[in-house]
């Protein structure tokens, strides 16, 4: 059915590749049968969750079968005694969080796409999110996996335990492998006790650099926040326009800080945080104690991506990470490049862990502008690697970041990646054309 093909031909990159067929897996036997048939007839197979990936990982670049997991969405087990969940890959991230919270448990990884993204997609991309600053990324919560190789054979990796050093850590290899090594059909996840209290703050600054320095002072001041998110002036203005509101013209940057823990811990951390706020002398500062107040502040942060998409025809969305202490320097470097090359660059992201979403807003029809973009990206990636950072913190490589792999890896590392791929998928049928 052509409509289905069209609906599964794109993701959040806006790139489009029409598959030859789409199959909705409902049980693991559907997965196994599909893989066996594709292997036998040399048909590419592309696993797909919700299709909100930012790097084209779920796109059928060489045609083939798109295997969609949204109907394989059962939460199989929530184990309060052992702090565990077992889920199928199509479970929506927010649904797992809500189900866990109902029984006093907590699944921390919180990509901004959490109301749509699937656990399978999160595992395949090793997704992060605001709370990952304190709690770690998806990989920190995956205890075990069940998956199918392209041959249709089933593998069991990891265990139901936190400690496990038996054999090579193939589970770790699969996490973040972007659906290129095996297809995940079950995920065993670690849960935590739900923190009883949360406070959210928004602190506004008159310069970008002051906001970036504040992030560092909060970390160095032992506040131990769960979240340290940053939004620059362009992000804020775009969100206000999107929401039909007007912002304070003095504000050039805003920092969102969440503190969680027991009431006593939260009180202690809030006092430490307040010391840093007083030292930084921000333009203004807001405290959200209730869930409803906090959702209003979160809404601004979560609206940035759709809001900035309206600024220019295309968003080149980079996902660089630098060591935390280098953030102010990196932010100033990018600001200077934007001014020198007359480009609209929007910065926001998870500054607590050094992850700067660097969005170059461009018009692809403007050849002259695209030449300047190429120079700026080259300089940014070179500086990121010089600082000891990485070209992607959470969005993965997929299709769109492939051209930048050489900044981070030499021929030997690239050869090892290819050799590993051959061990799992010798005929290059599973999600071909991704990563390298
Ligand atoms: C507005 C917006 C905000 C975002 N915010 C964040 C953020 O804060 N943090 C973050 O990390 N990411 C973020 N992302 C990126 C994206 O949402 C994540 O990468 C997410 O994990 C993708 O999940 P998905 O279910 O849509 O996967 P898809 O896009 O469908 O697939 C992603 C990859 O996973 C593979 N895959 C899917 N299911 C399986 C499976 N069962 N077995 C093997 N491979 C599989 C696919 O082949 C593909 O390579 C954001 C995206 C958007 C659009």
């Amino acid at each position: 059915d052509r409509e289905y093909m069209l609906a599964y031909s794109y993701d959040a990159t806006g790139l489009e590749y029409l598959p030859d067929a789409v199959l909705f897996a409902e049980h693991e036997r559907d997965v196994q049968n599909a893989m066996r048939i594709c292997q036998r007839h040399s048909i590419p197979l592309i696993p797909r969750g919700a299709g909100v990936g930012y790097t084209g990982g779920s796109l059928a670049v060489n045609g083939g079968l798109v295997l969609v997991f949204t109907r394989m969405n059962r939460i199989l087990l929530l184990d309060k005694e052992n702090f565990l969940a077992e889920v199928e890959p199509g479970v929506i991230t927010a649904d797992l969080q809500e189900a866990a919270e109902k029984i006093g448990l907590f699944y921390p990884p919180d990509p901004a796409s959490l109301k749509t993204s699937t656990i399978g997609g999160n595992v395949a991309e090793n997704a992060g999110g605001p709370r990952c600053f304190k709690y770690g990324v998806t990989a920190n919560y995956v205890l075990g996996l069940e998956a199918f190789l392209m041959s249709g054979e089933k593998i069991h990796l990891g265990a139901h335990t936190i400690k496990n050093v038996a054999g090579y850590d193939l589970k770790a290899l699969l996490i973040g492998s972007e659906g290129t090594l095996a297809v995940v059909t079950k995920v065993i996840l670690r849960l935590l006790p739900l923190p009883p209290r949360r406070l959210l703050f928004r602190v506004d600054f008159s310069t970008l650099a002051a906001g970036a320095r504040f992030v560092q002072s909060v970390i160095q001041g032992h506040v131990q926040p769960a979240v340290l998110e940053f939004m620059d002036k362009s992000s804020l203005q775009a969100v206000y326009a999107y929401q039909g509101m007007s912002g304070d013209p003095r504000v050039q940057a805003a920092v969102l800080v969440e503190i969680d823990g027991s009431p006593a811990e939260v009180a202690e951390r809030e006092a430490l945080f307040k010391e840093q706020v007083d030292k930084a002398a921000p333009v203004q500062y807001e405290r959200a104690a209730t869930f409803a107040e906090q959702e209003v502040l979160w809404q601004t942060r979560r609206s940035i991506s759709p809001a900035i998409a309206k600024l220019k025809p295309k968003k080149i969305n980079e996902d660089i990470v630098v060591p935390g202490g280098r953030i102010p320097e990196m932010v100033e470097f990018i600001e200077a490049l934007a001014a020198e090359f007359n480009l609209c660059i929007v910065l926001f992201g998870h500054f607590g862990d050094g992850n700067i979403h660097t969005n170059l807003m461009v018009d692809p029809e403007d050849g002259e502008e695209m030449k300047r973009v190429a120079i700026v990206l080259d300089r940014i990636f070179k500086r990121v690697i010089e600082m000891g950072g990485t070209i992607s913190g959470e969005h993965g490589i997929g299709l769109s970041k492939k051209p930048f792999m050489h900044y981070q890896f030499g021929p030997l590392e690239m050869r090892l990646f290819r050799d590993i791929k051959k061990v799992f998928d010798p005929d290059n049928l599973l999600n071909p054309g991704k990563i390298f």
Side-chain angles (χ1 to χ4, degrees):
D1 194 330
R2 197 177 152 76
E3 276 112 74
Y4 273 127
M5 315 285 199
L6 281 174
Y8 293 88
S9 67
Y10 61 90
D11 70 355
T13 56
L15 297 168
E16 263 186 62
Y17 292 90
L18 204 63
D20 295 306
V22 177
L23 181 75
F24 297 88
E26 293 186 6
H27 300 282
E28 68 169 34
R29 65 174 175 276
D30 301 334
V31 177
Q32 188 171 40
N33 288 338
M35 296 186 84
R36 281 187 178 146
I37 291 168
C38 285
Q39 173 80 47
R40 197 174 312 135
H41 298 282
S42 297
I43 299 167
L45 183 144
I46 303 94
R48 180 177 172 111
V52 287
Y54 260 148
T55 52
S58 64
L59 302 182
V61 269
N62 300 338
L65 175 73
V66 168
L67 186 59
V68 183
F69 281 95
T70 47
R71 291 186 192 166
M72 230 172 126
N73 59 355
R74 286 159 283 235
I75 296 176
L76 304 168
L77 173 75
L78 280 173
D79 178 349
K80 221 178 156 174
E81 201 176 318
N82 293 298
F83 291 89
L84 290 178
E86 283 184 13
V87 302
E88 291 184 330
V91 168
I92 305 278
T93 317
D95 290 350
L96 172 63
Q97 289 184 336
E98 275 167 34
E101 286 184 17
K102 277 192 190 136
I103 56 167
L105 298 179
F106 179 37
Y107 177 67
D110 57 345
S113 52
L114 82 172
K115 290 190 176 152
T116 318
S117 71
T118 64
I119 295 293
N122 293 170
V123 170
E125 299 289 358
N126 194 7
R131 291 200 179 111
C132 296
F133 171 58
K134 177 173 177 184
Y135 290 102
V137 293
T138 302
N140 298 100
Y141 294 87
V142 180
L143 299 177
L145 293 174
E146 289 183 9
F148 283 85
L149 299 176
M150 199 58 215
S151 58
E153 293 162 294
K154 186 172 178 182
I155 51 174
H156 296 80
L157 303 174
H160 285 70
T161 57
I162 294 172
K163 292 174 87 174
N164 175 11
V165 295
Y168 289 138
D169 193 351
L170 296 180
K171 172 195 65 142
L173 185 57
L174 248 59
I175 299 167
S177 66
E178 306 190 22
T180 61
L181 300 181
V183 172
V184 172
T185 49
K186 186 165 156 187
V187 189
I188 302 155
L189 292 164
R190 174 189 181 196
L191 303 174
L192 300 180
L194 184 66
R197 187 155 164 72
R198 278 187 185 132
L199 285 180
L200 188 64
F201 303 90
R202 177 174 153 172
V203 194
D204 290 346
F205 292 91
S206 58
T207 66
L208 191 71
R213 281 196 300 272
F214 177 70
V215 168
Q216 283 314 299
S217 73
V218 171
I219 296 170
Q220 283 154 13
H222 301 282
V223 177
Q224 296 179 54
V227 165
L228 254 179
E229 292 285 298
F230 187 90
M231 298 171 275
D232 76 353
K233 181 185 163 193
S234 310
S235 317
L236 294 166
Q237 284 178 344
V239 172
Y240 292 139
Y242 186 67
Q243 295 174 337
M245 293 158 58
S246 61
D248 182 333
R250 293 170 303 163
V251 177
Q252 302 286 313
V255 180
L256 273 188
V257 182
E258 185 185 86
I259 293 170
D260 67 356
S262 68
E265 284 167 337
V266 169
E268 190 188 330
R269 286 170 190 162
E270 185 178 8
L272 290 169
F273 174 67
K274 198 67 193 11
E275 278 174 27
Q276 299 307 325
V277 174
D278 292 342
K279 274 190 217 156
V283 174
Q284 57 204 11
Y285 143 91
E286 200 174 332
R287 179 182 190 271
T290 67
F291 179 76
E293 289 167 350
Q294 292 173 9
E295 276 304 291
V296 173
L297 295 189
W298 274 122
Q299 200 45 43
T300 306
R301 166 64 183 87
R302 292 192 184 126
S303 303
I304 296 176
S305 290
I308 63 172
K310 298 197 177 300
L311 295 178
K312 284 272 212 157
K314 186 172 162 63
K315 172 172 80 168
I316 299 179
N317 169 3
E318 296 308 334
D319 170 38
I320 56 173
V321 192
V322 294
R326 309 293 296 267
I327 284 192
E329 192 185 333
M330 193 67 202
V331 164
E332 281 176 36
F333 177 71
I334 297 172
E335 250 201 327
L337 282 176
E340 182 185 343
F341 288 87
N342 188 26
L343 289 174
C344 171
I345 305 185
V346 181
L347 299 178
F348 68 93
H350 321 301
F351 276 28
D353 48 33
N355 196 180
I356 309 172
H357 292 324
T358 305
N359 299 275
L360 288 83
M361 309 309 302
V362 299
D363 178 358
E365 302 292 313
D366 182 344
E368 205 278 321
E369 184 179 59
M370 294 309 285
K371 279 187 198 151
R372 285 181 277 133
V373 164
I375 299 170
V376 165
L377 282 179
D378 177 64
R379 293 206 190 164
I380 290 175
F381 288 130
K382 281 185 179 145
R383 181 57 73 94
V384 164
I385 300 302
E386 275 164 23
M387 286 184 175
T390 172
I391 60 170
S392 177
E394 54 185 27
H395 295 163
I397 301 302
L399 274 182
S400 47
K401 309 297 169 210
K402 265 168 57 166
F404 310 130
M405 285 287 273
H406 68 93
Y407 287 97
Q408 195 165 340
F409 302 104
L412 184 56
E413 289 93 355
M414 294 302 291
R415 199 196 78 206
L416 284 171
F417 289 152
R418 289 196 185 92
D419 288 351
I420 289 170
K421 168 75 171 161
K422 273 191 204 133
V423 170
F424 279 82
D425 175 26
D427 299 324
N428 192 25
L429 291 172
L430 186 53
N431 211 359
K434 309 295 162 60
I435 307 181
F436 43 79

